[in-house]
Amino acid sequence: MQGKTGLIMGVANDRSIAWGIANQLFLNKANIVLTYQNDSLKKRIEPLSDKIKCKNLYKCDVSLEPENEYSIENLIKKINNDIGNLDFVVHALAYSNKEELKGKYLETSRQNFLSTLDISTYSFTRIAKSASEIMPNGGSLLTLTYVGSNKTTPNYNVMGVAKAALETSVKYLSVDLGKNNIRVNAISAGPMKTLAGAAISGARHVFKYSEKISPLQKNPDLEQVGNAALYLLSDISSGVTGLTHYVDGGLKIVGIPNQDLVSL
Ligand code: NAD
């Protein structure tokens, strides 16, 4: 990745998937720009940004609040002024009201439906539009999703709907941007112990169950997801776009787990 510059959005702490990706990209000599959502997170991210020699740290809240309406466009303008063009972008952010990540999907409120899809799904399209304008030589865009998009998992609810829309966005964006040699892909990670992961009710059960029944009998770690991201963001994957790539210990392919793994 030497000579390549990328924007990574979604580091909240050293357990964040975005941090795992940033670390692997840094180890492979990429120049990295980070964003933080708000000032209280900034204090946590500053020491991490030092570790990956990231000098450019920008605030960017992607929510629908009026003051954030042009936060993405302003971010891309600032990056372009400060350091020039981009070669890759990682979108590793999502949000839904915790109260609706438990119980029935049936109870989803209109307001939380809209804000969940706005922050977790639409933001990727908006970032793709702005960032592609400063990718004159092509590039790679990557987002993060979860198997709860195409199968039900406990309490994932409206976030599953948002991830289904995100995975479909990846396909349409890859068609729109393909002629510019900009590739668009998603990583579907197995359950990981992060702040966002912990917001889903019963996360511990899902974590343990996935670990037990996945062929590798292990949930992914930050390094594994970081390495898959390295592949998708680098020229090694130059023929790959529109893909949802699973880093889940093989969980996705299991229909009914072997009898010795689950007692009824
Ligand atoms: P995390 O809590 O470390 O990261 C979530 C990030 O989203 C945080 O940095 C937070 O600041 C950011 N964010 C939330 N609302 C925002 C807003 N309005 N504006 C800007 N940023 C905002 O958790 P994570 O698990 O690393 O999540 C990263 C991505 O990975 C998410 O898309 C998540 O759905 C996805 N994912 C997580 C898991 C898992 O088990 N943890 C599995 C598959 C996919």
Side-chain angles (χ1 to χ4, degrees), residues 87-107:
D87 299 295
F88 64 88
V89 176
V90 177
H91 169 272
L93 49 93
Y95 179 79
S96 185
N97 181 346
K98 220 176 149 179
E99 294 309 307
E100 298 196 9
L101 296 175
K102 60 179 163 191
K104 292 190 168 105
Y105 171 70
L106 196 64
E107 305 295 342

Side-chain angles (χ1 to χ4, degrees), residues 225-241:
V225 177
N227 278 329
L230 174 63
Y231 161 71
L232 289 169
L233 297 172
S234 74
D235 294 341
I236 299 173
S237 63
S238 60
V240 179
T241 194

Side-chain angles (χ1 to χ4, degrees), residues 109-130:
S109 65
R110 178 188 240 178
Q111 194 194 9
N112 188 49
F113 184 96
L114 293 175
S115 72
T116 301
L117 271 90
D118 180 50
I119 293 170
S120 315
T121 308
Y122 175 67
S123 63
F124 184 57
T125 298
R126 188 107 173 218
I127 288 159
K129 179 162 167 39
S130 276

Side-chain angles (χ1 to χ4, degrees), residues 10-13 15-18 37 41 60-63 91-95 119 144-146 156 159 163 188-197:
V11 179
N13 57 33
R15 291 182 147 202
S16 294
I17 294 176
Q37 184 190 348
L41 285 175
C60 186
D61 185 324
V62 302
S63 66
H91 169 272
L93 49 93
Y95 179 79
I119 293 170
L144 268 298
T145 185
Y146 179 60
Y156 205 56
M159 192 56 85
K163 293 300 192 191
S188 183
M192 297 174 75
K193 289 181 176 166
T194 64
L195 285 177

